[in-house]
Every structure is written in C-alpha cells, then in structure tokens.
Amino acid sequence: MESMRMPSFKLTSFKGRGRAEVAREMLFLGNVPYQEKRLAMDHWPSLRPGKTSSSGCVDYQIIPGTPSGNVPELEANGKKLTQSFAIYRYLAQELGFAGSSHFEAAQIDSLAELHREYEEEIDSLMAVLFGFSDGDKEEMIKAIGEPARDKYFPILEDIAKKSGSAGHFIGGSLTWVDLLIAEHVSIMDHHCPGFLAYYPHVLKTTRKILDTPRLREWAKKRAENNLRI
C-alpha cells in the first residue's frame, strides 16, 4: 500500500509554457514543492519531413529516455509518467482539482476529451503560431482554426452560460479542466486576438479563472522565470 505522504515530484519539460503548464499550475496552487528540468527549445526535435500522424497532426521525433518518448514527464517518488492528460489527472486527484464527486470527475474528463479533440484538429495551426513549422498564419486560421473553433466553442459557450457564473466550467470549485481551457484561451488571445470574440461566456468564465489570486501570483512568477507562450 502506498504511503499517504505527498510524493516527491520532478517535472521535465521544455522552456516554455506548453503542455507542462497545467501541471505547473496545479503544483503551485497546491503549494507543492517540485524540481523541474527545462530543456532548451533548441533541443526541440526536428520535424520528420513529409510525415504526419494518422489524425493529420504534425509528427515529431521522440525524446529518448522517457517512458513514451516525449515530454512533459512527471516523476513521482521515482516513478515516471508521461502524456500530459495522464499527468493532469494524476495531479488533480492528488491535489484536489478533480471535482467533488465521481460524476463531476467524469464530466471533467468528458470536457477535457472534447478539448483534446479540438486541439488535435488545430495542431498544425499551433505549430505555425509557435514557430515550429512554416505556413501562412491567416490562411491556416481560416482553413483550420475557425472550423475547429466553431465546432467546439459553441458547446463550451453553452456550458459556460449554465455553469460559468462562479468562474468554473464544471462544478463549484477550480478543476484541471478550468486550467486547461483558460491556458488555451490565453494563448489564442496572445497569438490571434479576437479569435474567440463570439464566445463571450467562455471569455468571462476564463477571466474569472485567471483572476484567481494564486493564479495571478503564478502568472507573475512565470513572467519572472521567462516562461513564455
């Protein structure tokens, strides 16, 4: 039986917010100390010429030395875990960001999986926005970003109308899916101002999430540490 004592955490990620950011936020919000190894962006693997995944997403080379060949990687008491959503769910359960009931946890998972599907659809656009791939930003926003947005965000807008008045998409307290969505919205606001303008309830709920005092504190700390989008 595992000890109830909080594990010792080590996080391996790239120097940037990326897919490790929600994990960092939960650890900070939970007042949990952790070590982090940040790989320089020039260690970002080159794209495999002409190859995409079966979903049409950009295919990156793997990172040697990690269980599934990629980062972020979370180590808890020597046990290594990769895949960002697995890391988020684990930390949410450990730190109290997984909802107040089993049903809420399932609702959170459902919304997170919907968000994942949306992110997979815009993967090639995000690679261009972050400068990892070449492409015409405006053309890709119209051809890839807007169709994916207008399939996913009406669903999220409806959820925000019904549940977002207190500043949460699911339930009555901050959860990992709140952090996941708020992080994406802030990135899109930075790279594509106005992209989400037709979804005011999503934006309002996101502002309330980001206005959480500890998250504001984290944003300041993140800026000081030069963790850029």
Side-chain angles (χ1 to χ4, degrees):
M1 182 176 179
E2 292 192 12
S3 170
M4 296 298 291
R5 184 179 176 183
M6 184 63 65
S8 173
F9 293 117
K10 296 179 182 178
L11 185 65
T12 301
S13 64
F14 286 112
K15 285 184 178 178
R17 283 157 64 169
R19 296 188 186 278
E21 185 62 11
V22 172
R24 293 187 192 102
E25 289 174 341
M26 281 191 279
L27 289 164
F28 184 79
L29 290 167
N31 295 304
V32 177
Y34 67 99
Q35 299 177 35
E36 183 170 7
K37 178 181 179 181
R38 295 176 185 158
L39 305 177
M41 292 307 292
D42 57 9
H43 290 133
W44 184 271
S46 59
L47 295 176
R48 294 171 177 169
K51 292 188 178 181
T52 56
S53 69
S54 58
S55 66
C57 299
V58 176
D59 187 16
Y60 297 98
Q61 292 179 351
I62 63 174
I63 308 296
T66 61
S68 64
N70 56 32
V71 293
E73 174 193 271
L74 181 72
E75 185 175 324
N77 289 345
K79 296 178 180 179
K80 294 183 177 181
L81 183 64
T82 55
Q83 300 300 324
S84 56
F85 274 38
I87 292 170
Y88 301 161
R89 288 187 176 102
Y90 167 68
L91 288 176
Q93 291 165 359
E94 286 282 341
L95 304 177
F97 299 104
S100 62
S101 68
H102 292 306
F103 189 76
E104 263 191 23
Q107 288 180 302
I108 291 164
D109 283 347
S110 177
L111 182 53
E113 290 302 327
L114 187 65
H115 185 86
R116 187 213 296 269
E117 291 173 7
Y118 156 73
E119 285 200 331
E120 287 176 351
E121 291 188 29
I122 64 169
D123 184 76
S124 58
L125 168 62
M126 300 309 293
V128 170
L129 295 181
F130 292 146
F132 300 142
S133 183
D134 295 328
D136 187 299
K137 172 183 169 180
E138 298 305 323
E139 286 185 5
M140 294 185 76
I141 288 172
K142 288 187 177 298
I144 297 170
E146 291 180 2
R149 174 198 66 190
D150 295 340
K151 181 166 66 173
Y152 167 60
F153 272 88
I155 299 170
L156 191 58
E157 179 75 358
D158 188 54
I159 291 171
K161 282 181 185 178
K162 295 174 181 176
S163 307
S165 60
H168 310 294
F169 288 100
I170 302 292
S173 62
L174 189 67
T175 71
W176 70 272
V177 81
D178 290 325
L179 300 174
L180 178 70
I181 293 168
E183 174 65 6
H184 175 74
V185 169
S186 68
I187 287 171
M188 297 311 289
D189 280 348
H190 176 80
H191 286 285
C192 307
F195 182 72
L196 300 174
Y198 292 106
Y199 303 97
H201 289 86
V202 172
L203 296 177
K204 184 177 180 180
T205 301
T206 298
R207 284 194 295 270
K208 288 182 178 179
I209 293 166
L210 295 174
D211 201 40
T212 302
R214 283 285 286 170
L215 273 181
R216 291 203 310 270
E217 187 179 342
W218 168 249
K220 181 179 178 181
K221 182 180 179 70
R222 177 174 62 203
E224 290 170 351
N225 289 331
N226 201 29
L227 272 178
R228 298 186 299 271
I229 290 177

